[in-house]
Amino acid sequence: MTTLVETPVPVLVLGILAAAAFGWLYMTMRRPGYLLGLGAVLLVVVVGVLVEWLVVTDREQVEATLDAAVAALEANDIDRVESLLSEGGLRRLRPRIRAYSGMVEFDEVRIRNVEVYINDLTAPPSAEVTLDGTAHFRHRFEGFPYNVYSARFRVELVKEPRGWRVEDVYGDPQQPYRPE
């Protein structure tokens, strides 16, 4: 069911197929009932796309939190990054964030292959996200030979009253800094 409010593609594909069928029937038989069916299909498609646009699922909220974190990192805005952390995340991640922000200045941060798993059975609800992340940065100290880091990450989030917040981030220890 959530697939229907995650993306408009199923509604659009089914609507196009049904509209094509009603259009073909109307063109071959010239009965006005098929034209009414075509209008009904178009109305259902418009309502379905509108519902998809208005309903924001937990998965979309998690992805929005990750996008906000990427934008904050690219802007090198540490306060905005910390605002996306949960209470537990502040305790665990603030020292790492402060240490890395003193060493590097981010130029570009990209995430891809984002896989979100929502667990509503925990209190509060939690999410586990795996993603591929790449960061291009400038090191604040001379002589550091690397300016790109790319790895597979696991991000844990919790749902708080102010939205989804990052609880912890785990990188791949087998993937150290890589030269450009």
Side-chain angles (χ1 to χ4, degrees):
M1 181 62 186
T2 59
T3 302
L4 294 177
V5 292
E6 290 281 339
T7 176
V9 173
V11 172
L12 290 173
V13 168
L14 292 174
I16 289 170
L17 292 175
F22 276 112
W24 179 77
L25 287 171
Y26 176 73
M27 295 302 286
T28 57
M29 297 184 187
R30 298 285 182 196
R31 293 197 178 151
Y34 294 123
L35 200 55
L36 289 174
L38 177 63
V41 165
L42 293 177
L43 179 66
V44 168
V45 167
V46 168
V47 168
V49 169
L50 185 64
V51 165
E52 187 279 328
W53 183 65
L54 292 174
V55 173
V56 180
T57 63
D58 282 338
R59 183 177 315 279
E60 291 169 334
Q61 290 174 7
V62 166
E63 290 173 354
T65 300
L66 294 173
D67 290 339
V70 166
L73 284 171
E74 281 186 338
N76 293 294
D77 187 349
I78 301 308
D79 293 331
R80 198 166 56 164
V81 171
E82 288 180 352
S83 73
L84 297 169
L85 301 177
S86 67
E87 293 299 321
L90 274 173
R91 285 190 305 275
R92 273 189 287 286
L93 297 175
R94 181 183 278 163
R96 267 195 281 175
I97 290 170
R98 295 290 175 173
Y100 288 133
S101 69
M103 290 189 290
V104 299
E105 181 177 334
F106 291 102
D107 293 327
E108 180 182 15
V109 178
R110 294 286 170 248
I111 59 174
R112 61 191 184 290
N113 300 329
V114 178
E115 299 171 9
V116 180
Y117 173 74
I118 306 287
N119 187 354
D120 290 322
L121 300 177
T122 60
S126 62
E128 184 173 306
V129 180
T130 56
L131 56 91
D132 294 327
T134 303
H136 295 265
F137 56 89
R138 288 188 304 270
H139 212 280
R140 297 185 195 270
F141 305 111
E142 294 297 321
F144 195 75
Y146 306 110
N147 58 359
V148 176
Y149 181 73
S150 183
R152 184 93 172 139
F153 292 93
R154 184 168 55 92
V155 182
E156 293 177 354
L157 295 96
V158 293
K159 190 172 189 178
E160 293 184 345
R162 57 192 178 118
W164 286 93
R165 296 292 180 246
V166 176
E167 182 77 13
D168 211 344
V169 177
Y170 304 96
D172 186 355
Q174 303 300 318
Q175 301 261 345
Y177 287 119
R178 296 183 190 169
E180 190 169 14

